Amino acid sequence: MQRQGGTMRKILAALVIVSAMALGGCAQQTPPSGTTITEMTHSQSKAVPNFDSSEQVEKDPARLAEFQALLEGHAGESTDDRSDGCTGGTTTDLSWVWSDRTTDTLSTYRCGQDAPDFVVELTELIASWR
């Protein structure tokens, strides 16, 4: 996940990403203090015939709050699914806008039973909105 904003934020985000990659996974960032999510775009894809992988825009305040609570509840946790050799999983792509006008993006892949709790819960949440 990458924060966009001032130069210092970009440098810190790059350090977080490099550090997470060096540790073998991606870490979920903590949402900016005092901000809320105002809009989110999401899509899911799966190697299944006729699977609807269209992008959807979410503006419902209740759903955005539910997603933000999920982020806050799993801040700092891995978003890396280590299901090596597993095919046929679900990719979830997200981008969202914070009330301070900064943006974040996240992409996860869930396949098998060994995915981190955050990835499992996120995949199920977005699937429930489709």
Side-chain angles (χ1 to χ4, degrees):
M1 182 167 39
Q2 182 179 1
R3 294 228 12 99
Q4 298 172 352
T7 303
M8 182 57 80
R9 286 183 182 173
K10 289 179 183 179
I11 292 170
L12 290 174
L15 290 173
V16 168
I17 290 169
V18 169
S19 298
M21 293 172 96
L23 295 172
C26 295
Q28 177 60 38
Q29 284 186 342
T30 302
S33 179
T35 60
T36 58
I37 298 172
T38 59
E39 182 176 308
M40 177 174 56
T41 302
H42 58 87
S43 66
Q44 289 185 313
S45 59
K46 201 171 195 170
V48 174
N50 302 317
F51 188 86
D52 178 11
S53 60
S54 62
E55 195 171 79
Q56 300 174 339
V57 177
E58 188 60 62
K59 294 183 180 182
D60 180 292
R63 286 185 172 181
L64 296 173
E66 185 177 14
F67 172 66
Q68 185 166 345
L70 179 65
L71 286 176
E72 291 170 349
H74 291 279
E77 291 183 19
S78 173
T79 60
D80 185 28
D81 181 354
R82 300 185 181 277
S83 302
D84 295 331
C86 181
T87 57
T90 303
T91 299
T92 302
D93 293 311
L94 307 165
S95 62
W96 62 95
V97 180
W98 294 99
S99 56
D100 68 358
R101 295 191 177 102
T102 59
T103 61
D104 276 317
T105 60
L106 177 66
S107 182
T108 63
Y109 180 73
R110 178 185 176 195
C111 190
Q113 301 301 314
D114 297 329
D117 290 344
F118 172 74
V119 174
V120 171
E121 291 177 36
L122 175 66
T123 302
E124 292 173 356
L125 176 66
I126 300 303
S128 74
W129 294 352
R130 299 171 33 88

